[in-house]
Amino acid sequence: MELIDSHCHLYVPDFAADINEVIKRAKNAGIKRFYLPAIDRESESLLFDLESRFPGECFAMQGLHPCSVKGDFSEELKRVETSLSLRKFAAVGETGLDFYWDRSFESRQYQAFHQQIEWALHYALPIVIHSRQSIEQTIAVVREHQKGSLNGIFHCFNEDEQSAREIIALGFYLGIGGTVTYKNSKLPEVLKNIPLENIVLETDAPYLPPVPFRGKRNESSYIRYVAQKLAEIKEVDVETVATITTANALKIFAV
Ligand SMILES: [Zn+2]
């Protein structure tokens, strides 16, 4: 069985002490590739370091996280722009809109999101989107830019079926992670009606661990619990979930 973790922050300090073990456990669980979304300037060198330690397994994205859009955002965007011009990345991301934590930088979040989509189009890269308490607005921005060539993932998708269908109609994939295993999650009902062909798996490690690891650090090997849950929802075996979602991820990412 081959799995791909389409979204994990394995470079953050939470993993500094045992990253080799974390990667080893993940490989033993069948995970072949780890896609690393960028956050901001502070974590960039950690991300690049991890990528260079695991060539062909860890793949860097480049972007500015909406929660890192602050007063210095134009410098941050300049850094992203330069970096994108210097080498190949798997995707632009994570980018998007987050109105949950802080709305004071809302207009700058929009500006940063539009800008990053334009770079994705320019370099023919997919975008990895973070959306929290902003799904309608996020979909509207993507729709505005979708002339046929834009693609990517709505990471940590946790919305209703209507939003899922709009995202799929835009040619995007749903990133499904640990939240699908949560007791009160409405996602299982939603995903019953969504084909596996529109889904990729992710952990968002070290965040959002699946049941039975809630409250602990999440890691990529736990993606099996997400795959297992999806298999139950879709009434297929877990190998089918792995085969289809892995093929989807390989189709999306530029490397
Ligand atoms: Zn993330």
Side-chain angles (χ1 to χ4, degrees):
M1 180 156 76
E2 283 194 19
L3 293 156
I4 288 177
D5 192 347
S6 66
H7 194 114
C8 49
H9 300 272
L10 300 182
Y11 54 88
V12 299
D14 308 56
F15 295 106
D18 63 344
I19 185 62
N20 290 327
E21 307 307 312
V22 168
I23 298 266
K24 197 186 284 174
R25 278 197 291 276
K27 284 193 199 167
N28 289 339
I31 295 119
K32 295 280 188 270
R33 286 168 171 249
F34 308 85
Y35 286 94
L36 311 173
I39 300 173
D40 55 25
R41 168 174 44 201
E42 250 170 75
S43 51
E44 184 183 61
S45 65
L46 295 173
L47 193 167
F48 290 166
D49 283 351
L50 183 65
E51 186 194 40
S52 63
R53 281 173 62 191
F54 296 96
E57 293 169 339
C58 287
F59 300 92
M61 308 180 199
Q62 181 58 284
L64 179 62
H65 193 294
C67 294
S68 293
V69 172
K70 308 275 185 205
D72 63 348
F73 91 121
S74 38
E75 285 156 51
E76 279 282 46
L77 285 178
K78 241 175 241 142
R79 172 187 61 80
V80 171
E81 181 177 29
T82 306
S83 182
L84 285 170
S85 74
L86 293 175
R87 52 156 284 191
K88 177 109 178 157
F89 286 95
V92 173
E94 54 191 295
T95 178
L97 302 171
D98 189 316
F99 299 155
Y100 176 78
W101 294 108
D102 185 357
R103 292 195 78 140
S104 54
F105 293 101
E106 193 174 308
S107 71
R108 282 175 234 196
Q109 283 193 30
Y110 270 108
Q111 229 177 303
F113 189 24
H114 280 289
Q115 180 64 77
Q116 291 178 79
I117 292 176
E118 275 161 30
W119 288 332
L121 288 167
H122 178 78
Y123 291 107
L125 294 173
I127 48 172
V128 170
I129 297 172
H130 169 110
S131 167
R132 192 159 184 201
Q133 241 153 65
S134 64
I135 193 67
E136 281 171 36
Q137 295 93 327
T138 307
I139 289 172
V141 170
V142 171
R143 186 174 290 129
E144 203 180 306
H145 290 273
Q146 183 54 287
K147 311 272 191 306
S149 62
L150 195 60
N151 77 322
I153 299 166
F154 276 68
H155 126 76
C156 194
F157 178 80
N158 202 13
E159 307 285 341
D160 62 9
E161 188 174 332
Q162 166 71 17
S163 302
R165 298 218 172 273
E166 287 178 32
I167 288 165
I168 292 166
L170 282 168
F172 277 65
Y173 291 77
L174 310 176
I176 301 298
T179 53
V180 75
T181 67
Y182 296 175
K183 205 170 150 218
N184 297 321
S185 175
K186 296 187 179 75
L187 259 187
E189 269 313 303
V190 171
L191 296 179
K192 251 182 205 159
N193 305 316
I194 301 296
L196 283 171
E197 281 70 18
N198 303 114
I199 292 172
V200 292
L201 304 183
E202 62 172 57
T203 58
D204 203 17
Y207 318 107
L208 300 173
V211 172
F213 303 105
R214 288 195 79 175
K216 305 218 170 75
R217 182 187 72 175
N218 196 6
E219 62 171 69
S220 290
S221 65
Y222 299 167
I223 208 167
R224 291 196 81 126
Y225 293 83
V226 177
Q228 187 55 49
K229 181 71 189 182
L230 258 181
E232 285 163 28
I233 294 166
K234 304 304 291 177
E235 299 177 348
V236 296
D237 52 39
V238 71
E239 283 78 12
T240 304
V241 171
T243 305
I244 297 174
T245 57
T246 293
N248 293 343
L250 291 174
K251 221 186 293 168
I252 298 165
F253 289 112
V255 286

